[in-house]
Amino acid sequence: MTDAATPFHAGELAAQQRAGVGYIATKGAPFIREFMPDQHRTFYQAQPFLVAASADTKGRVWASIIEGRDGFVRSPDAHTITLDTTPDPFDPLAQTLTAGADIGVVGIQLATRRRNRFSGRTRPTDSGLAIDIRQTFGNCPQYINERDWWRVQRNQPVRPLTSESLNSAQIKRIEAADTLFIGSGQQGQQGAASNGYDASHRGGEPGFVRVISPNRLRIPDYSGNNFFNTIGNLLQDPRVGLLFVDFETGGLLHLTGRATIDWSPEEARNPSILRMIEVELDAVIDRPEALTLRWSAQPTPSRKLIVTNKVVEAEGITSFHLAATDGDPLKLFQGGQHLPIALDIPSHDIKVRRTYSLSGTAGGDHYRITVKREASGVASRFLHDNVAIGDVVEAKPPTGDFIIPQGDAPLVLVSAGVGLTPMLAILHQLAGQGSQRPVWFVHAARDRRHHAMADEVAQLVATNRTLRKRIFYSTPDSTDQLGQDFDATGRISATDLLALGVGRDAHYMLCGPSGFVTDLKSGLENADVPPDRVLFEVFGTTKS
């Protein structure tokens, strides 16, 4: 596959093939854009800092944080980010970024676990920097440890400590860290959009990064979006930059070196560790109190939730009803949001963290998550096979921005399989509010046995005149009745959605496997539905 046919470069494609997910080259391509959706532009403009990756004048790769006063990030158009600030003179990237350089950026909101990424090139402006976008895409909230932030008054900059290896105090900081930022890059075919740098986030329990020696680290690589941006870059160019943040003091520990990939790590303490990134360090820059930002020392508090009911909804799909063990009210949520949970699984020596869409109504005495059992899903298999009524799980507050778009334009909720869970919560919210907005619920299942919550949806639609539904079965069996159990045979297409007659100005919300979402998203946009009218959320076995 050539660079013209995919947004991924040769290293990313090789990593995807090595990991057995070569299909990502096609299925993941539509999620990588050359422009920022309005939602991403709004997100970046709300951030107090951005994490950047690039190279210094010696060609060494570093990761760093660029901060500024409130509102310092602006997006005048979908292809541009401007920063009303300049990097600190002690920042290892200060000289190259202000002169103009390739850059990779991740915007991350630790309080809500949201993150998005882009790459581009900087150019100087009168007030700081501008970044012209090359590639941009969103990330799932896995492995992000939640923190709230605030600012302190800036003291005189403290001169950094530089060295060629880690000292004992720095080693202790790394061994206590639960968050790491990593920068990598590569240059392929001239003019390719995939050229440049990438900034990425890694997270886990404290100690997830292993210090082998003062010049050698090992970093676990967990299941994720399967794009393999970091590892793909490192296969092409082993130069790497690492950043550890002291959230209590605002200190930054920058490391640069060269990386190799261990595809079969023998010492993995956690079965979900798929690979290890081994880094040999060349240089260390320790910048005490480098930032005016501070973060809470502990992640957002979790709550203990007890399983009050366990309901089989369809073949391989089960709902779990969760109530607070302390009797206090549960935090309200919006339809489409998800619940981050942590499970103590005996075969894992750290908590297994996953996020599952809430599928019930807000404001009651319990949450409901509905989970598909995946054959290779560590968390979903444990929930289905081991968690029973009366068991307790740990959960963070509901979060996520896959929610009902504002306005009164028609809304088309489109799902496949267990992708109906956020759509069902949205239906409950609209019905409870007495919304007069026209809404279509369009769902695809294999057959009646695999069609979850059919009766619940039918009842909501029957009692609300603005709600309508259309059900597709791809392979109905002889007992499934057309016109009663389902409305059409086959798979949902963009043509089917446009045939509903709601027009191109409707909001289309899509949730399902990546191939399902990719095909519908591309079909709608090819039919001139504006991209900002198509919202989507993808699920897959890597998140289960």
Side-chain angles (χ1 to χ4, degrees):
M1 186 174 291
T2 65
D3 210 43
T6 176
F8 300 107
H9 60 70
E12 293 165 329
L13 296 173
Q16 292 164 10
Q17 291 291 339
R18 176 73 182 264
V21 291
Y23 61 86
I24 287 293
T26 299
K27 298 300 184 183
F31 303 110
I32 299 179
R33 309 174 178 90
E34 61 181 13
F35 66 93
M36 294 174 290
D38 288 345
Q39 188 179 65
H40 287 199
R41 295 172 64 197
T42 300
F43 169 80
Y44 288 122
Q45 292 177 111
Q47 301 315 305
F49 73 97
L50 297 174
V51 181
S54 190
D56 65 12
T57 55
K58 297 180 181 179
R60 299 176 300 184
V61 175
W62 299 93
S64 190
I65 282 181
I66 302 174
E67 68 168 346
R69 57 182 174 78
D70 290 350
F72 86 103
V73 182
R74 305 300 299 166
S75 177
D77 57 62
H79 298 273
T80 311
I81 288 285
T82 63
L83 306 179
D84 186 12
T85 189
T86 54
D88 187 291
F90 291 136
D91 191 308
L93 296 178
Q95 187 174 349
T96 53
L97 292 185
T98 52
D102 288 336
I103 187 173
V105 172
V106 58
I108 186 165
Q109 202 170 59
L110 295 173
T112 62
R113 304 174 74 245
R114 293 176 60 195
R115 57 176 164 167
N116 294 304
R117 286 154 75 177
F118 68 80
S119 64
R121 187 168 182 83
T122 67
R123 50 183 167 84
T125 65
D126 292 339
S127 60
L129 304 173
I131 305 173
D132 298 313
I133 303 297
R134 284 188 186 140
Q135 289 187 333
T136 177
F137 59 95
N139 269 166
C140 69
Q142 287 194 134
Y143 314 118
I144 298 178
N145 292 294
E146 299 174 41
R147 286 179 166 87
D148 297 316
W149 65 271
W150 65 93
R151 294 186 190 276
V152 300
Q153 185 174 353
R154 182 63 182 267
N155 297 318
Q156 285 293 104
V158 179
R159 184 168 293 276
L161 174 67
T162 61
S163 61
E164 295 181 352
S165 60
L166 298 166
N167 61 34
S168 58
Q170 292 163 347
I171 289 173
K172 288 181 180 178
R173 284 165 59 186
I174 293 173
E175 291 176 336
D178 62 8
T179 301
L180 161 70
F181 297 102
I182 182 167
S184 60
Q186 66 89 43
Q187 293 290 333
Q189 181 180 349
Q190 186 174 2
S194 57
N195 288 347
Y197 293 93
D198 174 74
S200 182
H201 162 274
R202 294 288 190 277
E205 299 294 327
F208 79 106
V209 177
R210 297 186 60 200
V211 182
I212 307 302
S213 74
N215 281 93
R216 184 169 160 230
L217 306 180
R218 285 178 71 83
I219 305 164
D221 188 55
Y222 303 108
S223 61
N225 61 18
N226 286 331
F227 285 1
F228 288 95
N229 307 104
T230 298
I231 288 180
N233 284 343
L234 296 176
L235 292 180
Q236 296 290 94
D237 185 340
R239 294 175 300 167
V240 67
L242 308 178
L243 176 67
F244 293 90
V245 181
D246 187 325
F247 294 108
E248 184 176 357
T249 69
L252 298 179
L253 181 61
H254 306 265
L255 315 177
T256 188
R258 293 178 177 268
T260 56
I261 311 303
D262 183 350
W263 292 88
S264 302
E266 295 181 358
E267 82 281 31
R269 297 166 293 170
N270 179 347
S272 65
I273 295 175
L274 304 181
R275 292 155 291 273
M276 297 289 285
I277 302 173
E278 184 164 317
V279 179
E280 292 288 339
L281 301 180
D282 297 326
V284 177
I285 299 178
D286 193 346
R287 299 169 57 206
E289 299 182 34
L291 304 174
T292 64
L293 295 169
R294 300 292 186 269
W295 288 264
S296 55
Q298 298 296 327
T300 303
S302 299
R303 294 188 69 177
K304 300 293 186 180
L305 303 181
I306 187 170
V307 179
T308 59
N309 203 3
K310 183 176 179 181
V311 180
V312 176
E313 306 286 4
E315 187 167 313
I317 298 177
T318 295
S319 287
F320 298 82
H321 296 241
L322 308 171
T325 58
D326 57 13
D328 289 341
L330 295 172
K331 182 178 178 180
L332 296 177
F333 66 91
Q334 296 188 64
Q337 291 190 308
H338 52 257
L339 185 71
I341 67 171
L343 301 171
D344 289 306
I345 299 180
S347 59
H348 290 59
D349 63 353
I350 62 174
K351 293 181 185 295
V352 175
R353 301 182 185 276
R354 294 293 187 269
T355 57
Y356 294 108
S357 294
L358 289 149
S359 60
T361 58
D365 59 357
H366 72 277
Y367 292 143
R368 182 178 69 178
I369 59 173
T370 303
V371 181
K372 179 182 178 183
R373 187 187 190 280
E374 300 286 357
S376 59
V378 173
S380 65
R381 285 190 294 113
F382 182 77
L383 284 167
H384 275 251
D385 301 345
N386 301 96
V387 173
I389 295 173
D391 287 343
V392 174
V393 300
E394 182 181 317
K396 301 284 190 180
T399 186
D401 55 11
F402 187 66
I403 58 178
I404 302 172
Q406 293 184 350
D408 56 5
L411 185 61
V412 184
L413 309 175
V414 191
S415 58
V418 77
L420 65 79
T421 54
M423 307 308 189
L424 183 51
I426 289 172
L427 277 185
H428 277 293
Q429 180 175 329
L430 291 168
Q433 294 172 343
S435 172
Q436 298 304 303
R437 187 175 194 171
V439 178
W440 274 94
F441 178 89
V442 184
H443 181 65
R446 187 182 310 172
D447 51 34
R448 176 67 185 180
R449 287 188 303 114
H450 295 86
H451 183 185
M453 293 141 146
D455 293 338
E456 186 173 336
V457 171
Q459 183 176 359
L460 282 169
V461 171
T463 54
N464 293 269
R465 62 182 183 84
T466 62
L467 307 183
R468 304 175 70 182
K469 67 179 177 71
R470 187 163 178 78
I471 307 299
F472 290 70
Y473 282 180
S474 58
T475 54
D477 66 25
S478 58
T479 63
D480 296 331
Q481 299 183 45
L482 181 64
Q484 180 174 323
D485 297 320
F486 67 105
D487 303 297
T489 302
R491 301 181 183 277
I492 302 170
S493 68
T495 301
D496 294 319
L497 300 181
L498 294 171
L500 300 175
V502 294
R504 289 172 173 79
D505 290 330
H507 287 283
Y508 295 84
M509 300 184 69
L510 317 176
C511 185
S514 59
F516 170 83
V517 172
T518 298
D519 291 345
L520 289 180
K521 177 178 177 294
S522 299
L524 289 170
E525 292 179 359
N526 289 337
D528 297 326
V529 174
D532 62 357
R533 292 284 176 170
V534 182
L535 309 177
F536 59 87
E537 189 163 82
V538 177
F539 67 79
T541 57
T542 58
K543 296 184 183 181
S544 57

